[in-house]
Amino acid sequence: MVQQRLTERELRAWRTSFQMLELLRTRVEQQLQAGSGLSSADYTVLALLSEAPDGRMRAYELGQAAGWEKSRMHHQLTRMGKRGLVTREQCGSRGVDAVITAEGLATLKAAVPGHVQEVRKLFVDLLTAEELDQFARIAGTILDNLQANQPAGSP
């Protein structure tokens, strides 16, 4: 099979996107850690649980919503449980629900204003409404392809 090189345009788009995502992830992680002591993984779990009915989700559904493998979710819930942010409750004969605690909800509510301010500063406020829509469409196209073509055993 012949390897086709990326054109200058393709390479510029790829490198810029990759660098942007890495730097955004780092800056958001730094803000969350400094502002609330949460990691972005903590924030993701708390946000998803806070939006779920009664603040609870089956652990496997939470993993799917976060796009994580089962073991990553298990370890994340264990760490957060030790800090009192979530609990795990038996559901049926084999299921486990992840449940946000009052402390977890309070921690999330305290973290939201700083997180939103950082997201606005680093991303939202730099783009027009039309550019945001275009960005969402482009990212959605790539995300849909990634989700449709996951390796076997992925969430």
Side-chain angles (χ1 to χ4, degrees), residues 44-60:
T44 296
V45 170
L46 292 175
L48 289 169
L49 288 175
S50 75
E51 296 167 357
D54 300 321
R56 67 175 49 236
M57 288 178 80
R58 296 292 290 263
Y60 80 89

Side-chain angles (χ1 to χ4, degrees), residues 57-88:
M57 288 178 80
R58 296 292 290 263
Y60 80 89
E61 291 173 344
L62 183 58
Q64 288 179 326
W68 298 348
E69 293 182 6
K70 183 179 178 180
S71 63
R72 179 177 180 191
M73 182 55 69
H74 172 79
H75 292 297
Q76 183 65 36
L77 291 174
T78 298
R79 286 189 296 272
M80 293 176 75
K82 289 177 182 176
R83 292 168 36 222
L85 301 174
V86 299
T87 61
R88 285 187 266 203

Side-chain angles (χ1 to χ4, degrees), residues 5 11 15 26-27 30-31 44-45 64 67 94 100 113:
R5 294 180 57 119
L11 193 56
R15 284 183 176 163
T26 299
R27 295 281 292 276
Q30 289 169 342
Q31 181 278 322
T44 296
V45 170
Q64 288 179 326
R94 298 185 68 196
I100 192 169

Side-chain angles (χ1 to χ4, degrees), residues 2 4-6 14 16 18-19 24 44 46 52 80 85 91 98 101 105 111 123 147:
V2 176
Q4 182 180 358
R5 294 180 57 119
L6 296 175
W14 169 247
T16 302
F18 192 83
Q19 290 171 344
L24 269 175
T44 296
L46 292 175
M80 293 176 75
L85 301 174
C91 177
T101 63
L105 189 57
F123 183 78
Q147 290 172 334

